[in-house]
Amino acid sequence: MKLYEYESKEIASRYGILVPRGRVVVSPSEAYSVARELGVVVLKAQVLVGGRGLAGGVRIAESPEEAYNIAEKLLSTSIRGERVEKLLVEEKVCISRELYLSLIVDRAARRPVYLISEMGGVEIEELAKKYPEKIHRVYVDPGIGYTDYIARVSLQVLKLPWTLLQDIANTTRAMYKIMVDYDAELVEFNPLALTCDNRLIALDAKIIIDDNSLYKHPELQRLYGRDLSEYEKRARELGFSYVELDGDIGVISNGAGLTMATMDSILYYGGKPANFLDIGGGAHRESVREAVKLMLTHPRSRVLLINIFGGITRCDEVAIGIIEAIREIGLIKPIIVRMLGTNEEEGRRILREQGIEVYSEMDDAVKVAVELSKR
Amino acid sequence: MKLYEYESKEIASRYGILVPRGRVVVSPSEAYSVARELGVVVLKAQVLVGGRGLAGGVRIAESPEEAYNIAEKLLSTSIRGERVEKLLVEEKVCISRELYLSLIVDRAARRPVYLISEMGGVEIEELAKKYPEKIHRVYVDPGIGYTDYIARVSLQVLKLPWTLLQDIANTTRAMYKIMVDYDAELVEFNPLALTCDNRLIALDAKIIIDDNSLYKHPELQRLYGRDLSEYEKRARELGFSYVELDGDIGVISNGAGLTMATMDSILYYGGKPANFLDIGGGAHRESVREAVKLMLTHPRSRVLLINIFGGITRCDEVAIGIIEAIREIGLIKPIIVRMLGTNEEEGRRILREQGIEVYSEMDDAVKVAVELSKR
Amino acid sequence: MGILVNHSTRAIVQGITGREGSFHTKLMLDYGTKIVAGTSPGKGGSYVHGVPVYNTIYEAVREQGPIDASIIFVPARFASDAVYEAIDHGIRVVVVITEGIPLHEEVKFVNYAKIRGVDVVGPNTPGVMTVNECKLGIMPAHVFKRGYVGLVSRSGTLTYEIARELSKRGYGVSTVIGLGGDPVTGLDFIDVYERFLRDNETKAVVLIGEIGGDAEERFATYYTKLTYKKPVVAYIAGRTAPPGKRMGHAGAIISMGMGDYKSKRSSLENADIPVAETPSQVPILLESVLGK
Amino acid sequence: MGILVNHSTRAIVQGITGREGSFHTKLMLDYGTKIVAGTSPGKGGSYVHGVPVYNTIYEAVREQGPIDASIIFVPARFASDAVYEAIDHGIRVVVVITEGIPLHEEVKFVNYAKIRGVDVVGPNTPGVMTVNECKLGIMPAHVFKRGYVGLVSRSGTLTYEIARELSKRGYGVSTVIGLGGDPVTGLDFIDVYERFLRDNETKAVVLIGEIGGDAEERFATYYTKLTYKKPVVAYIAGRTAPPGKRMGHAGAIISMGMGDYKSKRSSLENADIPVAETPSQVPILLESVLGK
């Protein structure tokens, strides 16, 4: 789960990392009063999607009036589909250099790693592609944890003066502590800035919490799902993995890999999937029914493709779930079913009685769904 | 540094381990009033030496009067040379079985290890010699720390009922936490008892803190050295490693191994060392002077043997230190010097001027010292 | 032959009395897996489908002798402890079915296992199965026929789908392994491929990847450098997945600019590993690399 | 030959600008040790006895290339960090002179090193020296003559004493190693003896033990089981030490009933390892086992 910039900064600040003075606001008049207090300010849209800067979500205001106007504008927009509901209004800090510092879990090495670069302010993905040699990595053994030399190496890689050793050490140590205390996957300061008066300050901050650890952090667990669309939220409440896409073929499948493969096959045969919906392993008729109801009423999808590979999942249960959903909602759009495995014959019979054809081969089912979506 | 039983129990209790109700007393009348409150009590002499039980340091009192009398007796005795200044007066607990549970750092495996045995109440050293198969070991990886299965294994080894899983888990988990929080070398409950009403209780507790970690625990550091004799304290204050022995040849040497080898050679040639005094590496005249003064005035030693292998330590500095000590105190007992290494000639000259012969070979010096001690 | 587990593997089921544990113990026994013991704290002394249940592995090993492999069904909060218990009692292959284990716990036990030379399959895996010999997992056994294709996958049902496509075309499987759907797993494609290289029975490998992470890219780099190699065919799921969204698996998230479909596909193709467009294409590509 | 370090060993001094570090750097250089760099945070850019000083090993390796060995003089509170810095930058032999490092920190870094195949000499050691080739330590060099006796010890000055006795009788030393005076050390007698076994130059080993722990007993057990062995002669200090008292070294404490003189001596003698009564007897016993 991603935290907002202002939340990440609150945590960072509690761990002794310097951040610009500022406040979160939800209205232009609040922005006005913060600006009157702080002088020249930066207004930053609080969204969880990336690329905020390029999308115009970060603006400078020289006066309280300007802050008011910018806030009014920002609070009425969306950035990459995400509505802007809060702004972080911060003092504008005089900076001499922008640095990059993060701590992430490296999948390949199976350990936390510090990524350190003197080229801050750019997205790390871009940096990694263009100047991989400009990113220094320091791996941390999970059994040992943070060790002090990491600060000294960071200082040197960032070409900071030796007088800042304690400052950088406070930062690198705090990052590790945040990762451990909050079960974070990522703790990132980009840019971490060197100010004109030689201090280190986190101009931006990003913390991502491991979803599997949320149960250890009830205060964060409550926030879980807040970045989901209404539709995604409903699906999650029903216990499904769900992601909204922009096509017109609704997809229900079991297993993340097979669901993605179904979506991909739709694309391969010329169609566009409307969503990702994984009902998981061993689903019963009730959950199938709810999934089908959800996708029958899904506004964008014109056809519904159900692809079930029955192992633990029983095909007759799936069939009954489908029939029940149709009974409640009506067959308001074509349903293409592909089913295989346990109790396949019985499932096939149940659906055929209702006039629904069952395919054995995934390719056949996908092709028909694509064709129907184009009618 | 060893903690007293009552201190160890205070810590254990703070970590949720059940200990008998009781109080520390320093006078018979206090013992009387604790006994009046608790009924039948156990009075336990608080000393740091081992073998307290066999030496009569643990006694049961059926009445407050008896408690008074026992306390009066115990508080006027010494146990293996250590004066009894405090008693722990505890309720007598009804117990059904005595168990053994400890967590120590295993030198060979270089890891913490739980020692678990259903035969509690005996000293572990004795148990290890007589019934090594009765001690179960569970090693802990220092990078991973405590894991819950340790509790389940402990429960089975101790043949406890499954209803006590949470109790034993609280105990084993707390032991590891105590080891980490206090930098302990040893956390031992012997016996850990199963009470008549099926509870686990630590009847005795022993915690030893790693001396090198004391700086992290200022509250404990202040107590450091309290188990030393007056003489040992003075030596430590001067910065020497010092141990009191019962012979009559005073020993000053540099390096722990060489100092012990000097003592051992004294024994080999028929004498008895009075002490262990290691002045350490690179000692200057001042510390040599203080060491020599200390041993010149040491009441039991009749002869002083100084054995210096000069590497970093300079022989002329040693010689000057000796001379200065003699000037202050007087040559009130024979001093035998063996010196080798850096600036050996100069040191030899300085001492010879004062009529002190310098030996090159350790054996020769030791033999002479032994001979003189017998005159 | 086959890798990791075989007909002589003596296995234990951790969490055998739970719903999942008990259900799959039955299926694994039916398959012929030698399950010599199960654990369930507090339930020692009972039996599940004829398998003796112990309170601890300590006790199980004492009663049953050394155990080679474990399969873990215990809930996420207790799973790490189960892994340590298995490793510390000499078990060399640990299959972690459990989903939802905290990331940093996984990081710790996966490193712990690696240092001790223990193979962790998963977490969040359908398991491992050497066809007709030993099944330590939850996969539907009937879709796998015995043969000379090694199957290694980050997915569950998709693997069964592809195994079925292979069967239809007459290809059988030596061993099938689910690496697990989490960002950090005990084994990766390289680890498993190295075992397949040493397995005389396996002649080709099918690699089933998905978006997220860079395991496929690293495999491609590794594969390019090999002098002795067996042919590989791949399928990658997630071409249509948007960045920044978790696609069911915690591991299947494209973030930090890493792990998108394009990058994986081009890496593999540059390493001369053909990538199928649909599951049904996998056996066709296999035919081409095997030169039929 | 000799073990652990030799004439081609490229070494770094961690804590080179301190009083001890600087003093011994001079002596080690005089001995011919190849010290290519030193570290001292914040003092990078300066020189100590002609050796370039860096802020970090990261920088030292970047400027000077790979480094084989390190000797650590930094204060106890910073010593663990120095060990990790050395190991994490590819250094394979780490000599920790520092005394007074917290026990649990030692336990951690000693395990860390072992897993990575790094040799930690110490902590609280006089160091290691292959005579006339490389000295990474603080021992007075002049008492050691080159020869075929391997010297391994838990002590400092006592080792010099015995080396001098050996020299007097015409015996020289291949490599001398101080294991360190703390309860937990990186190497033990067995580790070092195994190296001496593989060293063509070393024909016999002198083992200098002391009370506390069971390293000598374990060595005796190990030695008994060897089929190929080189003769060993031992000296054990502490016959007159009382139980429960710390004799200078933190490791030299007899407690938990382990590690008294009698137990060590009888274990060694039962393994056919003669134990000298005084340092001067060591060369005499050596003569007897070498069959002169």
Side-chain angles (χ1 to χ4, degrees), chain B residues 186-203:
Chain B
L186 170 83
V187 180
E188 183 187 62
F189 301 117
N190 185 24
L192 175 73
L194 183 64
T195 63
C196 301
D197 57 349
N198 259 332
R199 292 174 306 148
L200 280 177
I201 192 164
L203 283 196

Side-chain angles (χ1 to χ4, degrees), chain B residues 322-335:
Chain B
I322 295 171
I323 298 301
E324 287 181 1
I326 293 172
R327 265 192 207 130
E328 287 188 35
I329 305 276
L331 192 56
I332 55 177
K333 59 184 75 163
I335 299 184

Side-chain angles (χ1 to χ4, degrees), chain A residues 52-76:
Chain A
R52 172 183 65 177
L54 292 176
V58 178
R59 304 277 301 277
I60 293 171
E62 303 282 343
S63 67
E65 292 73 21
E66 199 182 349
Y68 185 96
N69 292 335
I70 292 174
E72 193 165 36
K73 213 169 294 166
L74 283 176
L75 285 168
S76 63

Side-chain angles (χ1 to χ4, degrees), chain A residues 265-305:
Chain A
S265 292
I266 289 171
L267 180 74
Y268 178 71
Y269 287 112
K272 292 190 83 182
N275 70 303
F276 167 100
L277 194 168
D278 171 12
I279 56 168
H284 290 278
R285 65 181 74 176
E286 294 77 16
S287 53
V288 174
R289 182 184 65 214
E290 293 308 315
V292 174
K293 278 163 65 183
L294 196 73
M295 291 316 297
L296 275 177
T297 57
H298 184 271
R300 204 175 344 86
S301 79
R302 306 188 55 221
V303 182
L304 175 53
L305 173 60

Side-chain angles (χ1 to χ4, degrees), chain D residues 3 56 108 117 144 160 196-197 215 219 230 244-245 265 284:
Chain D
I3 66 173
T56 59
K108 278 201 166 188
F144 297 89
Y160 320 152
F196 278 134
L197 270 186
F219 179 78
K230 296 179 179 179
K245 291 285 188 179
R265 179 159 183 170
I284 300 168

